[in-house]
């Protein structure tokens, strides 16, 4: 059985929880996701996971893409397909829910793609902050709108042009 391990890191957008397994990173949690409850439920990591180092490098402006393996145990096959496609959106660029739906082979699945993004267990590593609404508006983000703005600006995206 793949035992899960928990670690916590500080970031410019608040505390983050990182849940890892022998397969890869299974979750990245924002404070609002219940970091404390997850920490109490999952054994602590024995060392700083590679994902935490990569996230720190990202926030320091030293990393543009992540190389850690993912453990998709918390998503359905369809959502895993959406997340794999979302992981291909380049640093500093954006996409829309409709574009993602087309890229996973079902242009009519816009709402399902939105659900996959909203429930992405690997935010930051799989960049759901790079998804804008079809009308060009910023849209929501589980980590909060200010965090989404911060992340896009960190990547050099001109947030001022977003409604």
């Amino acid at each position: 059985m793949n035992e899960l391990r928990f670690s916590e890191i500080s970031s410019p957008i608040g505390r983050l929880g990182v849940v890892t397994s022998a397969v890869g990173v299974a979750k990245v949690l924002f404070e609002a996701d219940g970091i404390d409850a997850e920490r109490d439920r999952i054994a602590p990591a024995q060392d700083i996971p590679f994902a935490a180092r990569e996230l720190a490098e990202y926030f320091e402006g030293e990393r543009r893409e992540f190389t850690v393996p993912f453990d998709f145990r918390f998503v359905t096959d369809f959502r895993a397909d959406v997340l794999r496609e979302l992981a291909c959106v380049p640093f500093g660029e954006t996409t829309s829910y409709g574009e993602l739906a087309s890229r996973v082979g079902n242009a009519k699945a816009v709402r399902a793609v939105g659900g996959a993004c909203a429930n992405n267990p690997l935010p930051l590593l799989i960049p759901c902050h790079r998804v804008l609404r079809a009308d060009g508006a910023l849209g929501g983000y589980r980590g909060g709108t200010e965090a989404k703005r911060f992340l896009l600006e960190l990547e050099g995206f001109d947030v001022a042009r977003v409604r």
Side-chain angles (χ1 to χ4, degrees), residues 17-157:
V18 179
V19 178
T20 56
S21 72
V23 173
V25 184
K27 287 184 184 180
V28 174
L29 303 157
F30 295 110
E31 288 188 60
D33 293 330
I35 289 175
D36 296 329
E38 204 77 341
R39 182 186 56 235
D40 292 344
R41 193 177 67 74
I42 298 174
Q46 301 303 313
D47 54 4
I48 298 172
F50 191 52
R53 287 192 294 271
E54 287 199 358
L55 285 166
E57 292 168 359
Y58 169 77
F59 285 117
E60 291 166 5
E62 298 172 3
R63 176 169 292 280
R64 297 173 69 96
E65 58 185 57
F66 298 100
T67 63
V68 295
F70 302 129
D71 179 342
F72 288 116
R73 71 174 62 202
F74 296 111
V75 297
T76 64
D77 289 344
F78 173 78
R79 286 186 173 183
D81 289 344
V82 171
L83 296 179
R84 283 186 193 93
E85 196 59 47
L86 180 55
C88 296
V89 176
F91 180 95
E93 295 183 24
T94 61
T95 190
S96 70
Y97 299 106
E99 289 169 355
L100 274 177
S102 292
R103 287 171 37 189
V104 294
N106 188 346
K108 294 182 179 185
V110 175
R111 286 185 186 264
V113 166
C117 292
N119 295 294
N120 175 4
L122 299 162
L124 303 170
L125 299 176
I126 297 181
C128 49
H129 62 274
R130 295 179 189 154
V131 181
L132 303 178
R133 291 186 355 194
D135 65 1
L138 193 62
Y141 186 60
R142 196 170 81 232
T145 307
E146 288 308 309
K148 185 171 186 171
R149 284 184 183 281
F150 174 86
L151 296 168
L152 290 170
E153 288 173 351
L154 177 71
E155 295 183 7
F157 185 79

